Amino acid sequence: MSTQSNNLLQQAYELLQQGKADMAKPLLEDALIGDLENKEILFAIRCANYWGSALFSVEGIVSPFEKGEKIIDCWKKFVTDIVGGESSLYEKSMYSVRKGVFSIALELYKQTLTDHYQLQRAESYRKVAFCYKQLGFYEQALSFLAEANAILENLTKREDIASILAEMADCYSLCGQDNYAKVLFREAFFLDPGNIELVFLDSELIVSLLKLVSEKGYPEVVMREWIPVYGVLYGVFNVKRQLRPVEFSTLRRDIVNLENEIQVSQDDKRALLVPRLINKYFWQIDHYVATNDDREKIQETLRKIKLLDEEVYRKYTM
């Protein structure tokens, strides 16, 4: 790369970090003239093209929260459809775009933190935390996630906080505190795998597990249910907590309901229920072990797992 092209590229990166993709684009096009086949410049142009259009498209939205939501939706499309697996090859471009986009989104969400409606305020705290995480400020993200969790604690069902717990786990792992992360990831995926935005999880701990499970070839909605199962089998979800009596009572009721539902379900529905039930069996066994319960109860649960999926049984009991 010529000196002039490199200088133009660096200037473009600075503009992308400021969220000025439209201004970065002409600099990148000039840089390309001096180096027509440079893949780094071509990738940066693709980023600038997309975000120049995406950020322009949100200008007419009045609500700061809705504007932030639109930007997050654009980011999701960007990382899944526009750049995909190439993103890891061009770290400087991705860093520059990420910083610009989430700095804008962060300021938008901050404007909504005083909303009078508690559920909406909790969501604003969660989104501020998400932006901080994307910008690399993990401790700030954890602080805002804790606030969101505190607001929701007495307002919603436990299942509704699965996404917050997963984000907290992700931040803890990114901070190097994997034991906290493992507990919270396991909890989140136990509560509601379908309520977790997998594409927004960044820590190597969970990303490596998602990759292993995705390679099994399940449809995404089914794959989500298998994540906590394989999390146990691969030793990722190996830090556990003891259930309270009321939680164990609920778990037993859920297991009975799932066992009955599986008996009358068609194959497509059964594909979802089997991993969900296996995961609950895992929690049941953990409870029996933690409370030094009758060994026969553990053996009975293991037999049920074997009937559902012999391969899972074999890996679990190795």
Side-chain angles (χ1 to χ4, degrees):
M1 186 187 303
S2 69
T3 300
Q4 182 179 4
S5 292
N6 184 61
N7 289 338
L8 290 168
L9 180 59
Q10 299 309 314
Q11 292 175 46
Y13 283 150
E14 290 178 9
L15 289 168
L16 288 172
Q17 290 176 34
Q18 298 169 31
K20 299 175 180 177
D22 55 339
M23 296 175 65
K25 182 182 174 182
L27 294 181
L28 291 166
E29 290 172 342
D30 287 345
L32 188 64
I33 293 174
D35 200 346
L36 291 174
E37 296 184 4
N38 188 292
K39 292 182 179 180
E40 185 176 2
I41 297 174
L42 289 169
F43 182 84
I45 288 175
R46 198 193 320 170
C47 294
N49 278 335
Y50 177 82
W51 283 107
S53 175
L55 292 174
F56 178 77
S57 71
V58 306
E59 288 183 3
I61 301 175
V62 176
S63 163
F65 186 87
E66 293 305 320
K67 188 176 290 190
E69 293 292 89
K70 178 65 175 177
I71 290 174
I72 300 303
D73 285 343
C74 289
W75 180 261
K76 185 175 182 179
K77 180 179 179 182
F78 177 66
V79 295
T80 56
D81 299 337
I82 306 301
V83 295
E86 289 185 76
S87 60
S88 61
L89 302 176
Y90 304 100
E91 293 183 2
K92 190 63 182 291
S93 288
M94 289 300 297
Y95 168 80
S96 299
V97 171
R98 185 187 299 268
K99 182 175 180 180
V101 168
F102 284 100
S103 294
I104 292 172
L106 176 61
E107 294 307 313
L108 291 168
Y109 285 123
K110 278 184 174 180
Q111 296 176 43
T112 69
L113 289 174
T114 57
D115 197 291
H116 295 299
Y117 297 99
Q118 287 185 296
L119 288 176
Q120 181 58 53
R121 190 162 72 251
E123 185 64 8
S124 294
Y125 272 96
R126 187 172 80 87
K127 289 301 173 64
V128 166
F130 175 67
C131 292
Y132 272 128
K133 189 189 81 167
Q134 294 296 324
L135 292 168
F137 300 115
Y138 306 128
E139 292 185 0
Q140 289 93 325
L142 282 167
S143 176
F144 279 90
L145 286 169
E147 290 286 349
N149 190 35
I151 294 170
L152 292 176
E153 195 168 21
N154 298 316
L155 293 179
T156 64
K157 296 181 295 183
R158 184 78 175 148
E159 292 84 349
D160 294 335
I161 66 168
S163 61
I164 290 178
L165 295 181
E167 287 290 341
M168 290 179 76
D170 206 34
C171 288
Y172 275 121
S173 185
L174 289 165
C175 287
Q177 300 185 56
D178 277 351
N179 279 349
Y180 285 123
K182 288 179 176 183
V183 171
L184 291 172
F185 271 134
R186 187 169 183 260
E187 189 89 11
F189 280 98
F190 175 73
L191 291 173
D192 187 2
N195 195 27
I196 298 170
E197 285 274 20
L198 303 182
V199 71
F200 293 148
L201 299 178
D202 300 317
S203 61
E204 182 60 28
L205 177 71
I206 195 66
V207 169
S208 59
L209 175 61
L210 297 180
K211 184 175 185 296
L212 287 169
V213 181
S214 67
E215 289 171 352
K216 303 288 182 183
Y218 299 115
E220 182 177 336
V221 66
V222 176
M223 182 198 78
R224 288 173 172 273
E225 300 291 341
W226 280 107
I227 289 169
V229 174
Y230 283 102
V232 171
L233 297 181
Y234 292 145
V236 179
F237 295 175
N238 60 355
V239 180
K240 305 165 184 178
R241 69 168 181 86
Q242 187 169 337
L243 294 174
R244 299 187 298 273
V246 65
E247 291 178 308
F248 183 62
S249 177
T250 301
L251 176 67
R252 291 178 63 185
R253 184 176 65 248
D254 290 346
I255 286 174
V256 171
N257 291 338
L258 280 170
E259 288 173 339
N260 292 334
E261 192 174 356
I262 282 177
Q263 294 299 319
V264 298
S265 295
Q266 300 296 321
D267 287 348
D268 56 343
K269 181 67 171 178
R270 194 173 189 278
L272 286 170
L273 298 180
V274 165
R276 190 177 302 171
L277 180 55
I278 289 174
N279 186 38
K280 291 184 183 293
Y281 282 150
F282 286 169
W283 279 73
Q284 186 176 54
I285 290 172
D286 291 339
H287 178 79
Y288 289 149
V289 171
T291 57
N292 294 312
D293 215 321
D294 186 351
R295 180 70 185 176
E296 179 54 35
K297 291 181 179 179
I298 297 175
Q299 292 302 320
E300 180 186 358
T301 307
L302 286 171
R303 285 192 290 270
K304 290 180 178 181
I305 293 173
K306 187 175 183 179
L307 287 172
L308 286 175
D309 193 307
E310 193 159 347
E311 181 182 357
V312 168
Y313 166 82
R314 187 176 67 254
K315 289 180 177 179
Y316 185 69
T317 55
M318 286 178 60

